[in-house]
Amino acid sequence: MVLGEKLGSYLGVNLGFGFGVTMGVHVAGKVSGAHMNAAVTFASCALGRMAWKKFPVYVLGQFIGSFLAAATIYCLFYSAIIDYSGGHLTVTGPIATANIFATYLPDYMTLWGGFLDEVVVTGMLQLCLFAITDNGNNPALQGTEALVIGILIVVIGISLGMNSGYAINPSRDLPPRFFTFLAGWGTQVFRARNWWWVPLVAPILGAYLGGIIYLVLIGCNVPREPQILENHMGSEDHRIPVLPKAVPRQTEIASHNSGSVSPLTSVSVSPPNRPSVRSIPPLSDSIRIQQF
């Protein structure tokens, strides 16, 4: 979009970003769960969905991959960058090219306005990721998760990406920014409006808050069906609902005439094992079964 001018568009940037994520999920989904976002990785650890010992390993991999991606783009488009900028690598101005690699605030945005924007947008990302992968709710169909996540990125970018460039990921902003510092753009990549730290901090906070909002307001209200155990007695099937941590229960047999209770038969329910049934002699029609 920067170098090609008429050859690129904002929609094209979002499509490339979203479906690039889709390809990443296909490549690394079975290896790490496709953790390509340090903010999402942090939220997963902070909310107990992943061990903290994986956090530094995953983030290191993300940073190295992002840095190498920036270096690859620089090498492939070096001639175009030099031709467009006239050999002057600048961060701001009409021929700025640093924004190819990292996000920078537009003139109309304040620093804290951009911070809030990144928190809200990344929170929406994390909330939707939890929804897409929550098997107890209404998840994406098996095998379509990568495509749905890519569409989610496209939707966020098209609708909310204008204000701050929707970094939504420290791993895709800081390493390329550091690469541009080394490649000739200089210290201005960190000094421009003092923005560099916001894509590092705000997405982490946003992902954590978005995860909490989903778990508290949505996840806790998703109905969970109780486990059903079957007890076969004679020709009739008696289905016994059992909670995941149910205490042992008894089936007692009472005399219909006398109303007295006689524990002739008991069914011990100890999930997840099958219930054990102790056999008894045939009973007359005057005997009824009471299950408590």
Side-chain angles (χ1 to χ4, degrees), residues 203-229:
I204 292 176
L205 177 60
Y208 182 64
L209 294 177
I212 291 177
I213 290 172
Y214 181 84
L215 295 177
V216 173
L217 299 182
I218 305 297
C220 290
N221 295 299
V222 174
R224 308 291 178 178
E225 295 183 1
Q227 180 183 4
I228 300 296
L229 298 180

Side-chain angles (χ1 to χ4, degrees), residues 92-150:
T92 59
I95 57 171
T97 49
N99 57 344
I100 295 173
F101 300 89
T103 61
Y104 294 89
L105 272 184
D107 293 336
Y108 63 85
M109 284 293 292
T110 65
L111 181 66
W112 291 107
F115 186 95
L116 178 62
D117 185 84
E118 286 292 329
V119 169
V120 172
V121 173
T122 313
M124 290 184 176
L125 170 69
Q126 182 65 71
L127 187 151
C128 292
L129 287 176
F130 273 177
I132 291 170
T133 57
D134 185 358
N135 291 326
N137 192 358
N138 187 24
L141 296 177
Q142 186 176 5
T144 67
E145 296 89 348
L147 177 61
V148 174
I149 291 172

Side-chain angles (χ1 to χ4, degrees), residues 111-259:
L111 181 66
W112 291 107
F115 186 95
L116 178 62
D117 185 84
E118 286 292 329
V119 169
V120 172
V121 173
T122 313
M124 290 184 176
L125 170 69
Q126 182 65 71
L127 187 151
C128 292
L129 287 176
F130 273 177
I132 291 170
T133 57
D134 185 358
N135 291 326
N137 192 358
N138 187 24
L141 296 177
Q142 186 176 5
T144 67
E145 296 89 348
L147 177 61
V148 174
I149 291 172
I151 293 174
L152 169 62
I153 300 297
V154 174
V155 170
I156 289 176
I158 290 175
S159 59
L160 300 170
M162 184 181 76
N163 285 334
S164 64
Y166 75 116
I168 65 174
N169 181 2
S171 300
R172 81 96 163 170
D173 194 90
L174 184 60
R177 191 181 301 272
F178 183 67
F179 173 81
T180 55
F181 164 73
L182 298 177
W185 278 265
T187 58
Q188 191 64 19
V189 299
F190 293 105
R191 296 171 59 186
R193 303 191 63 183
N194 197 31
W195 168 254
W196 71 271
W197 63 274
V198 175
L200 181 65
V201 176
I204 292 176
L205 177 60
Y208 182 64
L209 294 177
I212 291 177
I213 290 172
Y214 181 84
L215 295 177
V216 173
L217 299 182
I218 305 297
C220 290
N221 295 299
V222 174
R224 308 291 178 178
E225 295 183 1
Q227 180 183 4
I228 300 296
L229 298 180
E230 292 188 358
N231 175 23
H232 300 278
M233 299 182 65
S235 61
E236 297 182 358
D237 291 345
H238 300 272
R239 302 177 69 84
I240 307 174
V242 181
L243 296 177
K245 294 184 179 180
V247 296
R249 300 168 182 264
Q250 285 191 336
T251 299
E252 296 182 339
I253 302 176
S255 171
H256 177 68
N257 296 329
S258 63

